[in-house]
Amino acid sequence: MSGDVHAAVAARLQSADGRYTSARRRLVEVLAAAGQPLTVGDICRDSGLALSSVYRNLGVLEEAGIVHRLAGHDEFARFELAEELVGHHHHLACSSCGAMTDVRLPPDVEAELDRALSRLARKERFAIETHRLDVVGRCRTCASTGG
Amino acid sequence: MSGDVHAAVAARLQSADGRYTSARRRLVEVLAAAGQPLTVGDICRDSGLALSSVYRNLGVLEEAGIVHRLAGHDEFARFELAEELVGHHHHLACSSCGAMTDVRLPPDVEAELDRALSRLARKERFAIETHRLDVVGRCRTCASTGG
DNA sequence: CAACTTATCGAGAGTGAGTCTCATTCTGCA
DNA sequence: TGCAGAATGAGACTCACTCTCGATAAGTTG
Ligand SMILES: [Mn+2]
Ligand SMILES: [Mn+2]
Ligand SMILES: [Zn+2]
Ligand SMILES: [Zn+2]
């Protein structure tokens, strides 16, 4: 949506010798508009692109650090804009329908968690890159409908 | 391993009207001996069971709350004993080779995290069941060999 | 604008982790 | 020992995902 995101994407793609084609722009628009991880089915429907093009370009965008692939609780992979573009955050993951919603921790909690994980990684000689925190449970709709 | 685990497994299986057969016992033994999430390839090799039996019985054990299926950083699913049996913990996930290692947070950090997540879930009307925290990075071997 | 070069597109074939089928074997019980 | 129901495992099958390759679009040079 905002030109900031598109400019950042264009820059990242160029340094990875790729073009910011209309197909790739549409993928970024769809992901930005959703504001939460989407399945390939969602992305195909919203973008109107061919299945193979969706997969190929998601791969290109992931390679360039623009898109992030994550595994849900169902059989489908989900895609979202990378944290470098939308900021660090976590997810509410519904164990019933598989939906994922973006959520952010209070900065002080996030900071203490980072410190604890750094200590832990140093002790295990593990070169930490990031962390992923999913809150697993029933989403609002599934909890009320008992689905 | 310890009879505690086998007793608990037998009890859980019985209340889910399943038998604790030799194949299922071997799966539990393999998972307990590993002490970290294993791929189906690992489990087949270590147990000597047929592929279909491994998948079917892992499904039975998962249904009974004895085994937990989790998605790694690669294309392979991984299996471990459920937290009800081995206690709550998290994982160091290698983004290079996909290996996962068990790790535990200091109790005070874990407690504050729980409180923060509860507040967050209440605000979003999300019925929280548990949380999953993966530390992503390079494992000791991959970091040193540059793999 | 025409001719050329290079990257992208997309329909369709192919791959393989994971699931299902079913004839055989095992298990519990009388 | 005989029977009923459950478990086993080789192999067929599914389907999310990847790869192929001719068509097409986008730069580039003169
Ligand atoms: Mn997200
Ligand atoms: Mn574990
Ligand atoms: Zn839901
Ligand atoms: Zn590794």
Side-chain angles (χ1 to χ4, degrees), chain A residues 94 96-97 139 142:
Chain A
C94 180
S96 177
C97 71
C139 75
C142 285

Side-chain angles (χ1 to χ4, degrees), chain A residues 97-126:
Chain A
C97 71
M100 304 198 79
T101 313
D102 284 10
V103 80
R104 284 157 207 276
L105 283 182
D108 56 319
V109 177
E110 190 79 53
E112 184 182 342
L113 185 59
D114 271 336
R115 279 194 298 274
L117 294 182
S118 293
R119 276 196 295 272
L120 224 147
R122 189 175 317 121
K123 194 164 62 182
E124 303 276 347
R125 296 222 182 87
F126 185 86

Side-chain angles (χ1 to χ4, degrees), chain B:
Chain B
M1 300 252 70
S2 62
D4 302 348
V5 173
H6 284 304
V9 169
R12 278 177 177 271
L13 262 181
Q14 235 160 7
S15 63
D17 64 30
R19 296 179 187 168
Y20 198 19
T21 66
S22 64
R24 290 167 192 173
R25 176 175 287 262
R26 194 166 309 170
L27 287 181
V28 170
E29 281 166 355
V30 166
L31 291 174
Q36 67 178 275
L38 296 181
T39 66
V40 168
D42 296 332
I43 297 171
C44 270
R45 181 170 27 72
D46 294 358
S47 68
L49 294 171
L51 184 70
S52 55
S53 294
V54 169
Y55 276 115
R56 174 168 25 76
N57 284 315
L58 284 176
V60 170
L61 293 173
E62 189 185 19
E63 201 79 18
I66 294 156
V67 156
H68 183 227
R69 178 191 309 237
L70 53 105
H73 211 271
D74 51 22
E75 67 206 280
F76 304 102
R78 289 167 194 258
F79 296 84
E80 66 178 353
L81 292 182
E83 294 198 332
E84 281 77 25
L85 294 174
V86 297
H88 179 63
H89 64 278
H90 301 291
H91 297 109
L92 304 180
C94 180
S95 59
S96 177
C97 71
M100 305 199 78
T101 313
D102 284 11
V103 81
R104 285 157 207 276
L105 282 182
D108 56 319
V109 177
E110 189 80 53
E112 184 183 341
L113 185 59
D114 271 337
R115 281 194 298 274
L117 294 182
S118 293
R119 277 195 296 271
L120 223 148
R122 189 176 317 121
K123 195 164 61 183
E124 303 276 347
R125 296 220 182 87
F126 186 85
I128 181 172
E129 289 167 356
T130 182
H131 66 258
R132 193 209 312 181
L133 172 62
D134 291 344
V135 187
V136 181
R138 297 298 198 81
C139 76
R140 198 181 306 195
T141 28
C142 285
S144 61
T145 63

Side-chain angles (χ1 to χ4, degrees), chain A residues 3-24:
Chain A
D4 302 346
V5 173
H6 284 305
V9 169
R12 279 177 176 273
L13 262 181
Q14 237 161 4
S15 62
D17 65 30
R19 295 178 187 169
Y20 197 18
T21 65
S22 64
R24 289 167 191 173

